[in-house]
Amino acid sequence: MGRLFGTDGVRGIANRDLSTQRAAEIGRALAEVIRQEHPEERPTVVIGKDTRLSGDMLESAMAAGLMAGGADVVLLGVIPTPAVAYLTVQKKAAAGVMISASHNPYEFNGIKIFGPEGYKLTDDEEDEIERMLLDRDIPLIPAEPEEIGRCTEDTLAAVGYAEYLASTVPEGLAGMKVLVDCSNGSAVRTAGTLFGLLGAEATLLCDAPDGTNINRECGSTHVEHLSSLMQEGKYDLAVAFDGDADRCLAVDEKGRVVNGDQMIAIFARQMQAEGRLPGNAAVVTVMSSFGFFRFAQEQGIHAETTKVGDRYVLENMRKNGYNIGGEQSGHIIFREYMPTGDGELSAIQLMRTMKQTGEPLSMLAGRMPVTPQVLLNVAADRDMKEALHESPEMEALIQQCEETLGNAGRILIRPSGTEPLIRVMVEGEDETLIGELAGRLAAGIEKYLK
């Protein structure tokens, strides 16, 4: 069996890959790990969820497993993932759990776990939970009858989180107009309150979840519909979150998409000017474009690079004391404010920078040159993912494509850690060429790995 945890928790199709039994087992194992580390304490675990149809089912199963293992549970209801990280710390909980599959379609769901400091579990900590689940020689010992956990609800959690985010922009955002795509997900619970607290005029879109429309042709993976709306000239910018609101992408006043690399560039430059950029550094992943690295060099900013996954970005930031980092996809971490990526925090900090500088978003984003990239996703099961780096045919094809591209670009092919996909990225100045190469590589995956 392959590793249960991917780059962002456990994920799969609800009621198939991720069943109620599996969720309860993870809850039991998590409670066991916590109680082993702190046997003298009665642990509390907070649980949040997004708007997926399967959320209630998996929330109940996870809570049952935790209580059976002797942990008390506090249900936060529908709430963004970063709110769970924040509230884990605020409530002095032993752990936080988010039931979400982030940007994936509604039929997927997932379990993300945060430690007591609000950080996602490390690989070693996840491995310990997996060991308890998969090693039949390690019994999960149920709590004694008098130790069974209790379950309560916190109906005001979302308001407290929104108030905290608003406190990071003390001058407010009065006079600004923003179009907000909530992706029919977690942001529907907090976005209206947040922008209202800051005095911004916000028009919410995709804010009517029905359990199956989360991320459907909306949110940070489908920002195209915002471009035409922005060209009407009614708003300063548009922002789009994903299903659990830990990502944010933007659209400027001219209708052009502003990706995560550009947003990190904007933040790093402003933080540098304010003396809030330790080490003059920003942390990004191998997916970041050449344009970001050219921008960083021009601005005297050191660009640290990690493998894909916001958890790896954060590990680097914590190790080196850096304050800003993230991914091209819109996971952006402000370590001085939050222990994880936060889409709504990114949105209001972007608006704050616009207000402070008096510059429109197009000007701020335009300082970073954008190098063309072609991104293709190829459906792939676990066997195909494992065969990717073992296939001589694929290795030869990749080498041929790299020779064709030369020094004018790069190729990155990797298995997704969150979806049954292999991702193909080709970057270079010649858009026709990189499109052709990406198509050849995708076809090769279909031909050689199936």
Side-chain angles (χ1 to χ4, degrees):
M1 178 176 177
R3 195 169 188 272
L4 180 65
F5 286 86
T7 56
D8 200 15
V10 180
R11 198 170 294 189
I13 295 177
N15 234 19
R16 294 184 192 174
D17 309 316
L18 186 55
S19 63
T20 54
Q21 179 181 351
R22 175 62 79 194
E25 289 173 342
I26 294 172
R28 283 278 300 280
L30 176 58
E32 182 79 12
V33 169
I34 293 170
R35 294 184 74 191
Q36 285 183 2
E37 293 177 351
H38 304 284
E40 72 287 352
E41 300 176 8
R42 184 177 181 84
T44 296
V45 178
V46 298
I47 301 179
K49 61 185 175 183
D50 65 22
T51 59
R52 292 165 209 272
L53 188 62
S54 57
D56 294 347
M57 175 186 77
L58 293 173
E59 173 195 60
S60 298
M62 187 78 189
L66 285 162
M67 290 185 286
D72 289 335
V73 172
V74 178
L75 302 180
L76 306 175
V78 171
I79 203 163
T81 287
V84 174
Y86 169 75
L87 291 163
T88 299
V89 178
Q90 292 301 302
K91 293 181 176 294
K92 296 181 171 59
V97 174
M98 180 65 181
I99 310 294
S100 173
S102 191
H103 61 284
N104 293 167
Y106 88 92
E107 60 267 24
F108 287 81
N109 216 324
I111 296 173
K112 307 180 187 183
I113 304 175
F114 296 91
E117 295 180 329
Y119 297 115
K120 291 178 181 177
L121 298 188
T122 64
D123 287 346
D124 289 343
E125 290 169 327
E126 289 179 344
D127 286 343
E128 177 63 16
I129 293 174
E130 282 203 19
R131 189 174 66 87
M132 289 190 166
L133 289 173
L134 303 178
D135 190 339
R136 297 306 176 186
D137 295 328
I138 304 176
L140 289 175
I141 302 171
E144 295 298 325
E146 68 275 11
E147 296 176 334
I148 293 172
R150 295 179 179 274
C151 185
T152 57
E153 296 183 30
D154 184 348
T155 58
L156 299 177
V159 174
Y161 162 71
E163 290 174 342
Y164 169 69
L165 291 189
S167 74
T168 70
V169 186
E171 60 270 59
L173 298 173
M176 298 196 73
K177 296 181 179 181
V178 58
L179 191 60
V180 182
D181 181 341
C182 295
S183 200
N184 291 313
S186 293
V188 300
R189 183 89 184 277
T190 50
T193 301
L194 173 61
F195 289 107
L197 287 169
L198 290 168
E201 185 179 326
T203 299
L204 304 187
L205 301 176
C206 306
D207 61 338
D210 63 11
T212 66
N213 62 358
I214 186 171
N215 299 318
R216 186 195 296 161
E217 298 181 4
C218 61
S220 62
T221 54
H222 298 280
V223 295
E224 306 83 13
H225 71 110
L226 296 177
S227 295
S228 59
L229 294 173
M230 283 303 300
Q231 292 174 21
E232 296 175 4
K234 298 179 181 178
Y235 304 95
D236 298 303
L237 77 162
V239 293
F241 308 120
D242 64 339
D244 64 337
D246 64 353
R247 295 187 190 196
C248 175
L249 293 183
V251 178
D252 70 19
E253 76 284 359
K254 297 180 179 180
R256 295 180 296 204
V257 176
V258 178
N259 66 28
D261 283 345
Q262 292 170 289
M263 292 173 68
I264 295 166
I266 292 169
F267 296 137
R269 181 175 181 271
Q270 185 65 16
M271 292 166 72
Q272 183 185 52
E274 297 174 356
R276 296 165 46 221
L277 193 67
N280 265 344
V283 185
V284 293
T285 77
V286 293
M287 287 292 289
S288 287
S289 75
F290 285 160
F292 178 84
F293 295 103
R294 286 202 294 269
F295 167 86
Q297 186 175 27
E298 291 168 0
Q299 298 293 324
I301 294 170
H302 171 59
E304 283 267 344
T305 308
T306 74
K307 59 184 177 180
V308 175
D310 64 324
R311 60 187 297 173
Y312 303 114
V313 172
L314 181 58
E315 284 177 8
N316 185 293
M317 293 172 69
R318 293 178 67 188
K319 178 182 178 181
N320 296 299
Y322 299 144
N323 273 355
I324 188 70
E327 298 185 281
Q328 188 184 71
S329 60
H331 279 126
I332 300 175
I333 303 168
F334 291 85
R335 199 173 66 89
E336 60 188 310
Y337 298 131
M338 288 292 290
T340 190
D342 191 317
E344 290 175 295
L345 177 61
S346 299
I348 62 175
Q349 291 298 321
L350 184 62
M351 294 170 69
R352 181 191 192 195
T353 301
M354 292 170 62
K355 192 164 187 178
Q356 286 176 323
T357 61
E359 296 178 334
L361 183 53
S362 62
M363 184 177 295
L364 291 170
R367 291 192 173 93
M368 191 199 98
V370 177
T371 307
Q373 288 184 341
V374 174
L375 303 172
L376 298 180
N377 293 321
V378 183
D381 58 21
R382 181 171 291 160
D383 290 340
M384 291 175 64
K385 290 182 179 184
E386 292 176 353
L388 175 61
H389 300 297
E390 299 174 359
S391 167
E393 294 89 356
M394 272 307 299
E395 184 178 347
L397 177 59
I398 293 169
Q399 184 175 348
Q400 291 171 9
C401 291
E402 286 177 337
E403 290 173 355
T404 301
L405 191 59
N407 295 325
R410 61 177 176 143
I411 293 169
L412 180 64
I413 302 177
R414 65 179 185 88
S416 169
T418 59
E419 296 179 85
L421 300 170
I422 292 175
R423 304 193 191 280
V424 176
M425 187 276 282
V426 183
E427 181 176 22
E429 297 294 345
D430 187 332
E431 294 189 53
T432 300
L433 176 61
I434 63 174
E436 291 174 354
L437 294 178
R440 284 175 58 189
L441 291 163
I445 293 170
E446 293 271 4
K447 180 179 180 180
Y448 299 127
L449 303 186
K450 277 195 172 181

